[in-house]
Amino acid sequence: MKKRIAILGSTGSIGTQTLDVIEQNPAHFEVEVLTANNNARLLIEQTKKFNPNTIVIANENKYNELVDALNNFPVKIYAGSDAIAQIVEMDNIDIVLTAMVGYSGLLPTINAIKSGKTVALANKETLVVAGEMIQKLAFHHKASIYPVDSEHSAIFQCLVGEGKNKIEKIYLTASGGPFRGKNYDYLKKVTKKNALKHPNWDMGAKITIDSATLMNKGFEAIEARWLFGLNPNQIEVVVHPQSIIHSAVQFEDGSIKAQMGLPDMKLPILYALGFPERFKSNFPRFSFWDYPELTFEKPDMKNFKNLSLALAAMDKCGNMPCIVNAANEVAVEAFLNDKVGFCQMTDIIEQSMQKIDYVKHPDLEQLIKTDQETREFTQSLI
Ligand code: MN
């Protein structure tokens, strides 16, 4: 039986790599649903190649372009973000891979979980904003969440076969990004062009900036907390510039298991889609002889303050991670549009954390309100 896949965000970096993985494994997977935010041209191309049952574009202005181009094609076409949130409930889907950018992943992920679908989670912001709620919902609806994020895939792989053995702590590895070792004076002058060049990973623009500021690692700590049911003090960030060890788990006997490989998102994508099986791949293999040194260092939380802000939000919990996420999304977009500098992104996030009302046990409605209020406040600073 082939697994039927819905890809939310099929035209982005993870989406296109997921389609590559599916194309290389036609005996195991087929594409059932594709959704995109705005890129109608690529969505049309993907539809012709992968023959999905249904496609959705979030931007309603692009609907006619899809209908015209796919006139004689046996595909159902919808538009709007409500349609994306609803489409995940379709019976003919086995796995929903969530690869949209940022907060927009929240409602579709909630609906996928509520309809008992297996979620391959590539949208970490969903767990940053509403991790506690998502964890409870997944338990209640018996929905599995398999991580696509490489660090979390590593931890997930280390836990296979461990049954009820407890995790003592996890080591979340970080490359350190393109500005590792730089000081505040250097960071102040960093341009968009420098920041978009990641040393090891080829990713979308938003996550590449988050990696350069280390916000990404703070978000990943929050993501790990909810995925694996950890306390914040069980999570340690380790900078490992070669990105070969993708993360590690330490058990109560002191033994550490780590997962290794070349940095290539296709591996965690294939693992999440294939779980519990491992399928053969032709990805380039790691060679020990190419890496005589694997090195490790502590993260620089003084110059890369976004990491400490995100970890503080994890400790504080409630709606605080939601505030940080919304402020960060607005700040990163402003940075990408040359409206604020690299270090100003941190100031904007910090001010939002102080300004927006804290709620200890927010429900979904309160999280949506927090997100809106934070975005309005943050915009007013730019
Ligand atoms: Mn990651």
Side-chain angles (χ1 to χ4, degrees):
M1 274 281 280
K2 288 187 191 182
K3 289 183 182 172
R4 296 162 299 179
I5 317 286
I7 305 175
L8 310 188
S10 68
T11 58
S13 174
I14 294 288
T16 53
Q17 293 184 78
T18 302
L19 286 172
D20 290 344
V21 166
I22 292 173
E23 190 181 6
Q24 287 159 17
N25 293 276
H28 302 303
F29 311 119
E30 64 188 327
V31 177
E32 203 62 34
V33 175
L34 295 177
T35 82
N37 186 33
N38 206 32
N39 191 342
R41 188 193 52 75
L42 184 53
L43 183 58
I44 290 163
E45 210 175 283
Q46 292 176 338
T47 301
K48 288 180 175 168
K49 187 165 175 187
F50 290 94
N51 208 5
N53 181 300
T54 306
I55 60 173
V56 190
I57 189 129
N59 181 348
E60 297 179 27
N61 296 325
K62 300 282 178 92
Y63 177 73
N64 286 336
E65 190 181 336
L66 292 181
V67 171
D68 290 346
L70 298 165
N71 194 4
N72 296 316
F73 228 77
V75 61
K76 294 187 210 86
I77 305 171
Y78 301 98
S81 36
D82 289 349
I84 292 179
Q86 283 161 21
I87 211 76
V88 297
E89 297 166 10
M90 275 169 44
D91 286 335
N92 53 346
I93 300 170
D94 299 310
I95 301 179
V96 178
L97 185 131
T98 60
M100 46 249 286
V101 179
Y103 177 82
S104 65
L106 179 63
L107 293 179
T109 307
I110 288 176
N111 283 356
I113 291 169
K114 280 185 175 166
S115 55
K117 299 288 190 300
T118 293
V119 174
L121 188 94
N123 174 259
K124 72 191 73 181
E125 290 88 346
T126 290
L127 286 181
V128 172
V129 170
E132 190 167 13
M133 182 185 302
I134 297 284
Q135 190 192 42
K136 283 186 189 145
L137 268 182
F139 182 79
H140 183 77
H141 293 276
K142 299 188 174 65
S144 303
I145 302 178
Y146 302 143
V148 172
D149 209 345
S150 60
E151 296 78 359
H152 306 75
S153 176
I155 294 162
F156 185 52
Q157 293 181 52
C158 291
L159 292 175
V160 169
E162 292 295 342
K164 293 201 161 94
N165 292 333
K166 283 199 186 119
I167 298 173
E168 191 165 82
K169 69 190 285 187
I170 62 162
Y171 294 96
L172 199 60
T173 53
S175 71
F179 309 129
R180 184 175 59 90
K182 304 295 187 200
N183 61 20
Y184 187 78
D185 284 334
Y186 180 96
L187 292 175
K188 257 190 336 204
K189 295 175 208 139
V190 151
T191 64
K192 174 173 82 179
K193 210 174 140 220
N194 313 137
L196 283 173
K197 271 196 208 118
H198 194 277
N200 301 344
W201 294 97
D202 180 13
M203 305 176 290
K206 199 257 172 184
I207 185 174
T208 303
I209 301 302
D210 285 343
S211 298
T213 62
L214 296 198
M215 180 56 92
N216 182 54
K217 209 49 58 179
F219 283 173
E220 289 185 350
I222 299 172
E223 182 184 11
R225 174 189 189 172
W226 299 119
L227 276 175
F228 305 112
L230 302 169
N231 289 319
N233 61 12
Q234 290 176 289
I235 303 169
E236 183 153 356
V237 174
V238 179
V239 174
H240 165 46
Q242 298 81 18
S243 296
I244 296 300
I245 292 181
H246 297 309
S247 278
V249 179
Q250 181 173 306
F251 295 94
E252 289 191 310
D253 60 357
S255 182
I256 295 177
K257 280 164 85 173
Q259 186 263 338
M260 301 170 67
L262 290 174
D264 182 346
M265 283 311 296
K266 285 182 192 157
L267 190 55
I269 291 168
L270 177 61
Y271 191 75
L273 295 184
F275 184 82
E277 283 183 83
R278 286 185 187 274
F279 295 127
K280 198 174 164 65
S281 87
N282 60 3
F283 307 149
R285 272 24 178 187
F286 168 77
S287 161
F288 280 93
W289 321 128
D290 293 340
Y291 290 84
E293 263 192 339
L294 296 180
T295 60
F296 307 93
E297 54 196 68
K298 287 204 163 153
D300 172 4
M301 305 236 250
K302 232 170 67 200
N303 287 311
F304 294 86
K305 208 174 164 190
N306 281 12
L307 176 57
S308 53
L309 293 179
L311 295 179
M314 171 166 71
D315 284 338
K316 191 105 205 243
C317 207
N319 65 340
M320 195 53 88
C322 177
I323 295 170
V324 172
N325 178 68
N328 183 61
E329 281 189 29
V330 175
V332 169
E333 203 191 321
F335 176 71
L336 287 171
N337 290 321
D338 300 311
K339 287 190 178 134
V340 301
F342 191 80
C343 294
Q344 275 174 290
M345 290 192 278
T346 305
D347 302 338
I348 289 169
I349 295 158
E350 206 168 10
Q351 285 184 56
S352 304
M353 291 172 79
Q354 287 157 6
K355 171 80 182 177
I356 305 297
D357 288 335
Y358 176 68
V359 184
K360 187 138 183 59
H361 297 290
D363 56 20
L364 182 59
E365 229 167 273
Q366 286 167 311
L367 288 173
I368 292 170
K369 191 168 158 245
T370 297
D371 178 78
Q372 280 167 351
E373 283 179 4
T374 308
R375 279 168 203 272
E376 276 163 32
F377 172 70
T378 313
Q379 287 291 0
S380 74
L381 298 176
I382 291 163

